[in-house]
Amino acid sequence: MVIMTSTSSLTFLPVLERIAEEIARTPGRGRPADYIPALAARDPRSFGMAVAELDGTVYGVGDWRQPFSTQSVTKVFTLALDLSREGDELWEHVGREPSGNPFNSLVQLEYEHGIPRNPFINAGALVVTDRLQTRTGDAAGELLTFLRAESGNPDLGFDPEVAASETQHGDRNAALAHFMASYGNIDNPVPDLLDQYFRQCSITASCADLALATTFLARHGIRADGTRLLTRSQAKQINAVMLTCGTYDAAGDFAHRVGLPGKSGVGGGIIAVVPGRCALCVWSPGLDERGNSVAGVAALDLFTTLTGLSVF
């Protein structure tokens, strides 16, 4: 049943409540990311979801105010911050194509001469973080400042336990960075880059925070204070890469089921964008075999089905 199809009269809270009821009845929520010990203890039945409108009005259900580890969700914001500074030059160093491989794969880098397939696999995110570090001197700090401003939450911060856990289990990311450095596609010392990258991934935020922080993409590049971060074309580029590459090697299935630009993280969060209308964040830490939240994808599928809101 479609609750409403008229976006001018759409009320989000009843939709979210219906979704929460459906998710609560769903068996099998996947498993938390056990390769990051700090995330392994999360309850896979936790669930929160928030929708933020363009004017900053935000609605939520469940654990929508509960902070969680953002992980790869932050790659969207780092990409936006760097793209706003260097423009199309960035795309000479990272591609815009789906990878078809796991997010931490080394396979493609060798035969593509150290150029990552897209900015959302780990190799691509390392390149983007490296370039933002060169331009700001503190990529993770710049990201945190941005998220605090856009969410309106000055208490957002890094989780030192998660950052330390990722550092202790970060050999593959180190290998990716060193390999790209051998092709001249990394500017900063690899240890410094990894520190920035792991701190970036350790930021904790809630569904409300991230839905609000993502609305600049729904506003075609306009920040919460009315200033422009991205051109309309750049915002379109990021939304397009989110749609085709934002959920690891399950992007095709996500586009088929949800029909929105989205970006997931192994902490269980997923952000999504309805251009010109709203931004969403859903969180549930139980993951499928590709690293995406089982309940999160199901909730976004229900959202687009119930509301009729989609880019298609």
Side-chain angles (χ1 to χ4, degrees):
M1 179 186 74
V2 175
I3 291 178
M4 288 184 188
T5 57
S6 171
T7 58
S8 62
S9 60
L10 186 60
T11 302
F12 285 122
L13 191 56
V15 177
L16 296 179
E17 291 171 343
R18 167 76 181 277
I19 291 169
E21 291 172 2
E22 293 282 344
I23 295 300
R25 292 195 291 265
T26 303
R29 296 283 190 89
R31 298 176 58 187
D34 55 8
Y35 68 94
I36 301 175
L39 304 182
R42 286 288 197 174
D43 181 0
R45 296 199 62 80
S46 297
F47 174 80
M49 188 172 186
V51 178
E53 296 186 301
L54 303 189
D55 65 358
T57 303
V58 61
Y59 309 87
V61 290
D63 302 313
W64 68 299
R65 296 285 191 185
Q66 173 67 42
F68 62 90
S69 186
T70 54
Q71 294 294 310
S72 290
V73 169
T74 60
K75 294 173 182 177
V76 171
F77 306 106
T78 306
L79 174 62
L81 290 170
D82 186 71
L83 187 62
S84 71
R85 287 166 168 79
E86 66 169 319
D88 286 346
E89 183 183 346
L90 169 64
W91 303 120
E92 298 174 13
H93 300 270
V94 63
R96 291 166 291 192
E97 296 291 339
S99 68
N101 285 311
F103 59 87
N104 58 358
S105 174
L106 287 136
V107 172
Q108 288 173 330
L109 280 177
E110 178 143 25
Y111 61 80
E112 293 182 349
H113 308 292
I115 304 296
R117 186 63 68 90
N118 67 68
F120 295 147
I121 56 175
N122 286 15
L126 284 163
V127 167
V128 175
T129 298
D130 177 66
R131 300 185 71 75
L132 184 62
Q133 176 69 10
T134 298
R135 283 155 183 76
T136 66
D138 184 7
E142 192 77 14
L143 169 64
L144 182 60
T145 298
F146 176 81
L147 291 175
R148 285 173 171 172
E150 297 307 292
S151 68
N153 183 357
D155 295 327
L156 295 185
F158 304 110
D159 185 329
E161 181 187 359
V162 171
S165 182
E166 296 214 51
T167 299
Q168 291 165 9
H169 297 82
D171 289 341
R172 186 173 287 265
N173 284 313
L176 291 166
H178 281 294
F179 192 84
M180 292 186 293
S182 74
Y183 280 96
N185 202 23
I186 295 293
D187 295 332
N188 293 280
V190 169
D192 296 345
L193 169 59
L194 292 173
D195 177 66
Q196 290 287 326
Y197 181 71
F198 294 143
R199 285 204 298 142
Q200 166 190 318
C201 293
S202 79
I203 290 174
T204 59
S206 69
C207 291
D209 296 325
L210 290 173
L212 287 166
T214 306
T215 52
F216 77 98
L217 288 172
R219 290 190 293 263
H220 309 293
I222 302 294
R223 295 186 59 170
D225 64 3
T227 61
R228 180 170 287 282
L229 176 70
L230 302 172
T231 67
R232 192 180 183 96
S233 177
Q234 289 171 332
K236 180 189 72 174
Q237 289 172 16
I238 292 179
N239 281 330
V241 177
M242 287 173 68
L243 181 68
T244 58
C245 308
T247 47
Y248 311 122
D249 52 337
D253 183 64
F254 186 83
H256 175 81
R257 290 183 62 185
V258 176
L260 293 174
K263 181 72 194 84
S264 62
V266 296
I270 307 174
I271 56 172
V273 180
V274 184
R277 188 64 180 88
C278 63
L280 304 93
C281 181
V282 60
W283 170 67
S284 185
L287 310 180
D288 61 23
E289 67 279 1
R290 290 168 166 172
N292 298 309
S293 170
V294 173
V297 174
L300 291 169
D301 185 0
L302 280 167
F303 177 84
T304 54
T305 299
L306 293 170
T307 63
L309 292 172
S310 169
V311 298
F312 300 111

